[in-house]
Amino acid sequence: MGKDDDCCETCGLFAHESPASVEVPLGPLLAERGGLAITVHGRRDGERTIVPTGDVITIGRGKTCDVQIDDLALSRQQCRIRLVDGHVIVEDNHSTCGTWLDGAKLGSGGAVAREGSVVFFGNSRLVLHATRRR
């Protein structure tokens, strides 16, 4: 598998890279477009895009997660994404190995995501985008 095979069809970002400069806030784009798209890049899952609903999205390897990822390096409930006051907040859920947003390890309280933000954990990556609901 060549490097081009690891490229996200939605954003053109390689699964193992973070954007060099993420400038556009994701929250206002969600208000304009109507939905959050999460592109999952997993070693076992391959690439897939999910458009979840709700203001809190749980992510991990557990069966109760909104976005379930087959990655033994993840906690059952690795992290969550919350939509709060027009912002998209990514929070680590006290995971064993931690969660990173755009190359920075998340501390308590999480961090605000931007259009094209990359969430790293275990052997998996998520790319966050605003999308139009169908």
Side-chain angles (χ1 to χ4, degrees):
M1 176 188 283
K3 189 172 181 178
D4 290 338
D5 295 331
D6 294 334
C7 188
C8 172
E9 294 176 13
T10 305
C11 64
L13 182 72
F14 290 107
H16 57 280
E17 295 178 338
S18 180
S21 175
V22 181
E23 299 294 330
V24 180
L26 188 52
L29 286 175
L30 290 182
E32 175 186 315
R33 297 182 188 168
L36 174 66
I38 301 173
T39 301
V40 179
H41 301 271
R43 186 173 285 172
R44 292 180 175 196
D45 288 337
E47 180 184 312
R48 61 193 162 108
T49 299
I50 300 163
V51 181
T53 58
D55 291 339
V56 178
I57 302 150
T58 57
I59 300 162
R61 64 181 169 83
K63 293 180 181 179
T64 61
C65 289
D66 299 310
V67 179
Q68 186 179 3
I69 301 173
D70 184 13
D71 183 341
L72 295 176
L74 300 185
S75 295
R76 284 184 189 91
Q77 297 234 350
Q78 178 74 29
C79 67
R80 67 183 154 261
I81 297 173
R82 295 185 315 121
L83 309 178
V84 179
D85 297 328
H87 297 287
V88 177
I89 310 294
V90 180
E91 301 173 327
D92 183 74
N93 197 27
H94 308 289
S95 66
T96 303
C97 296
T99 302
W100 284 257
L101 178 65
D102 296 326
K105 189 170 184 178
L106 294 176
S108 61
V112 176
R114 306 215 179 264
E115 175 68 11
S117 278
V118 179
V119 181
F120 296 89
F121 39 59
N123 297 306
S124 303
R125 316 289 180 258
L126 306 177
V127 181
L128 308 178
H129 297 282
T131 189
R132 297 204 186 283
R133 288 221 186 262
R134 294 182 179 162

